[in-house]
Amino acid sequence: MRLQGAHVLVCLFFGLLSFQANGQSKKFIEFSYDQGPIIGNNKDWADELIERIDYKGFDVRFGWRSRENNHYNYINRFPSYGVGFTSALNYHSEIGRPLGIYAFGDVPFGKINFDRKLNFSFYTQIGLGLNMNPYDAETNSINGFVGSAVNAHIHFGLKASYNISNSFNVFTSVGTKHYSNGSIKKPNSGINFIPIALGIQVQLDQEEFQPGPKPDFPPLEKRFYWDIAAYTGLKSYEIGEKAYFRGGLGLNYLWELSYKYRVGLGVDWFYGAGAKQRFPSENVRFTDVNSFAIVGSWEWKLTEKLYMPIAIGVYLDKAALNQETASFYERIGVRYRMNQNLFAGVQIKAHKAKADFFEFTLGYTIPGKVIKTTSR
């Protein structure tokens, strides 16, 4: 991953979380050990590489759980946020010793019950993956997993924790840990571990987590929104090639479904640069490098400003020279609303879970007229 894009990724997400750590937060430190297999892709080189690699690693996290009893915290069951560091314990000449610096979110399952000993949650981590030995045609040709030393670190999974005392929790988790550069540099099959973790959480204050009764919810203004988004990124198409601009525009019509979710329908346009350089002998047409799609969107509001966009798009036509390999694509990421109109974010666009490119997004929202107001 190019360092410029990596800096944007980390600065954006860490900045979004920093405002959460305040005096109303219950702070903690977690330590965990994890171990698990690496997932292949049915290629001979991948099977050979997997036989050489055994994954064992550790994580250290600093987190906080806000006690602020507002409606966003309440409907999301008072999530925890924080930052962390992870590292593989063993060094392998083919992939190096992967490290991760990340931000995380941990969202509990079930009804709110602060006295419960056994709790379940799901978590997401996003940040930078470092210290990797990338593909090299002469010295490391077997590694088709990553083509760059710096990659994105993405980890999601399920977690079960048990409260031993006011000071200590023990937990176990299982998930998928993924390192990829989003096709900025090929090859980029991605490194995928399935780690099972055991760990301990140490509370940094003894005060019980009791935010209080259900808060008053503000009136929910049911209205439509127009979202206009510009996507920018880089994509490499072949091993040894440079990366070219990849981007586009999106127009989405969204409905404020609830305090927690928005849903919508829209259109996306995508463009891929560099076709004339990659195919100098061909007559490159507009439809070879431009594609259009219908996209269904869902937004999960974590706070007043932070939310996760998730989308499925169906191509009306695919651009043959942009490696759009399926009839549909997926999008997931994180966005931050700077005010009522402006937002920014980073998402990954993929075909059947294989990265097309990282989208660094800047957008503008046009709120519609309030149709009705409801309260909870």
Side-chain angles (χ1 to χ4, degrees):
M1 175 185 276
R2 295 277 180 91
L3 286 180
Q4 182 180 7
H7 287 161
V8 172
L9 180 67
V10 173
C11 291
L12 171 68
F13 202 74
F14 281 35
L16 304 186
L17 299 182
S18 62
F19 70 92
Q20 292 280 347
N22 52 44
Q24 298 187 68
S25 300
K26 187 174 178 65
K27 301 174 181 64
F28 58 85
I29 296 177
E30 289 184 346
F31 306 91
S32 65
Y33 167 84
D34 58 5
Q35 180 176 343
I38 182 172
I39 303 289
N41 55 13
N42 298 318
K43 303 289 186 181
D44 290 341
W45 61 262
D47 293 340
E48 183 181 347
L49 192 53
I50 289 170
E51 290 181 1
R52 305 182 188 182
I53 296 173
D54 62 318
Y55 175 75
K56 300 180 181 68
F58 71 91
D59 275 48
V60 180
R61 291 179 287 272
F62 169 72
W64 53 88
R65 191 180 187 191
S66 175
R67 292 188 179 92
E68 186 177 352
N69 198 12
N70 59 50
H71 69 286
Y72 284 110
N73 276 340
Y74 186 86
I75 60 178
N76 288 304
R77 298 176 292 279
F78 294 87
S80 300
Y81 299 101
V83 294
F85 171 81
T86 183
S87 174
L89 292 174
N90 299 326
Y91 174 86
H92 298 278
S93 59
E94 298 86 357
I95 65 169
R97 182 183 286 112
L99 310 177
I101 303 170
Y102 58 84
F104 72 86
D106 193 320
V107 182
F109 282 128
K111 294 182 179 180
I112 294 176
N113 182 354
F114 301 118
D115 297 322
R116 189 165 46 209
K117 293 284 188 180
L118 180 63
N119 293 279
F120 299 93
S121 62
F122 60 94
Y123 62 88
T124 300
Q125 302 172 0
I126 183 170
L128 277 184
L130 306 167
N131 201 40
M132 297 181 203
N133 291 347
Y135 169 89
D136 185 279
E138 296 181 358
T139 62
N140 196 20
S141 60
I142 194 174
N143 182 10
F145 287 132
V146 289
S148 57
V150 180
N151 295 272
H153 165 97
I154 301 169
H155 187 183
F156 59 90
L158 302 174
K159 178 179 178 182
S161 64
Y162 186 80
N163 182 18
I164 298 175
S165 68
N166 289 339
S167 299
F168 299 102
N169 294 348
V170 292
F171 65 86
T172 183
S173 68
V174 60
T176 300
K177 184 177 289 188
H178 175 73
Y179 293 103
S180 166
N181 63 42
S183 291
I184 291 175
K185 190 173 182 180
K186 292 291 185 77
N188 187 57
S189 297
I191 301 177
N192 293 287
F193 300 111
I194 307 294
I196 298 174
L198 295 173
I200 186 167
Q201 183 183 96
V202 182
Q203 305 297 328
L204 298 182
D205 60 71
Q206 299 298 311
E207 187 177 350
E208 290 187 32
F209 191 85
Q210 293 289 345
K214 179 180 175 180
D216 293 329
F217 279 60
L220 176 65
E221 296 180 342
K222 294 289 187 78
R223 67 168 83 196
F224 286 102
Y225 297 82
W226 286 103
D227 264 10
I228 305 167
Y231 315 125
T232 63
L234 294 170
K235 181 177 176 69
S236 174
Y237 294 88
E238 301 295 340
I239 294 175
E241 264 194 9
K242 71 175 186 179
Y244 295 92
F245 173 82
R246 190 86 162 85
L249 293 172
L251 179 64
N252 230 346
Y253 194 49
L254 293 158
W255 169 247
E256 194 86 21
L257 185 66
S258 67
Y259 289 96
K260 194 172 181 178
Y261 304 122
R262 295 190 187 100
V263 295
L265 189 67
V267 293
D268 275 342
W269 160 62
F270 298 105
Y271 167 72
K276 291 183 178 179
Q277 290 84 353
R278 292 185 290 121
F279 301 96
S281 61
E282 293 192 20
N283 180 25
V284 178
R285 301 170 299 172
F286 178 85
T287 54
D288 291 330
V289 294
N290 291 272
S291 58
F292 298 88
I294 300 294
V295 59
S297 298
W298 177 66
E299 295 182 354
W300 175 16
K301 295 179 282 184
L302 297 170
T303 71
E304 184 178 2
K305 295 184 176 182
L306 181 66
Y307 62 101
M308 291 182 63
I310 300 171
I312 298 289
V314 178
Y315 289 110
L316 300 174
D317 62 335
K318 293 186 291 181
L321 303 185
N322 288 350
Q323 294 184 350
E324 291 169 344
T325 56
S327 58
F328 64 94
Y329 58 89
E330 314 91 52
R331 172 184 290 129
I332 186 169
V334 61
R335 289 179 181 172
Y336 182 73
R337 191 166 294 283
M338 292 171 276
N339 55 40
Q340 186 180 22
N341 302 111
L342 291 175
F343 63 87
V346 59
Q347 303 84 228
I348 187 166
K349 176 177 177 273
H351 298 120
K352 296 181 180 179
K354 186 175 181 180
D356 183 17
F357 73 104
F358 281 117
E359 300 173 332
F360 298 97
T361 300
L362 185 64
Y364 190 85
T365 297
I366 304 173
K369 184 179 178 181
V370 176
I371 296 175
K372 64 177 182 177
T373 301
T374 62
S375 58
R376 180 169 172 171

